[in-house]
Amino acid sequence: MNSAVELAVRDIDVDTKTTEGFTKAEQMLKEIILWGQQNGEFTPDYDTEELAEYLHNVLVGLRGMARTSTAKEKLHRIAKLSMNF
């Protein structure tokens, strides 16, 4: 994550690897969401791709915040709210 944030705009290799990793993560989330929608575990009210992008963003954000002095309670609240989708 550090490399992505600090170097991706200046280093094509880091940008490529970051983009590939983000794409794979979102694809896996999309597959999980689709399966969950078919089984009634996820709401069908959201487009699978858009929800995957949102959840990926939450995960990346939480990973960054977890590396700071952010209170665990706050991280749990954010994760819990995101799980409501």
Side-chain angles (χ1 to χ4, degrees):
M1 195 80 249
N2 289 344
S3 296
V5 171
E6 294 176 19
L7 301 174
V9 295
R10 294 178 282 156
D11 187 316
I12 191 71
D13 291 331
V14 172
D15 185 52
T16 299
K17 289 179 182 178
T18 300
T19 302
E20 289 173 357
F22 284 178
T23 300
K24 286 179 184 178
E26 288 176 9
Q27 182 59 40
M28 287 190 290
L29 285 168
K30 185 177 173 182
E31 291 171 13
I32 291 167
I33 293 164
L34 182 59
W35 179 84
Q37 286 176 333
Q38 292 169 348
N39 290 306
E41 295 181 31
F42 281 87
T43 179
D45 296 340
Y46 297 98
D47 176 77
T48 55
E49 186 169 351
E50 291 175 3
L51 188 53
E53 292 170 346
Y54 167 77
L55 290 174
H56 182 244
N57 184 61
V58 170
L59 292 170
V60 169
L62 282 173
R63 282 176 45 197
M65 290 177 72
R67 298 176 78 180
T68 69
S69 61
T70 302
K72 288 184 181 183
E73 295 81 15
K74 182 175 183 174
L75 298 174
H76 286 261
R77 283 194 309 271
I78 295 167
K80 185 177 179 181
L81 179 63
S82 297
M83 300 277 292
N84 287 334
F85 287 99

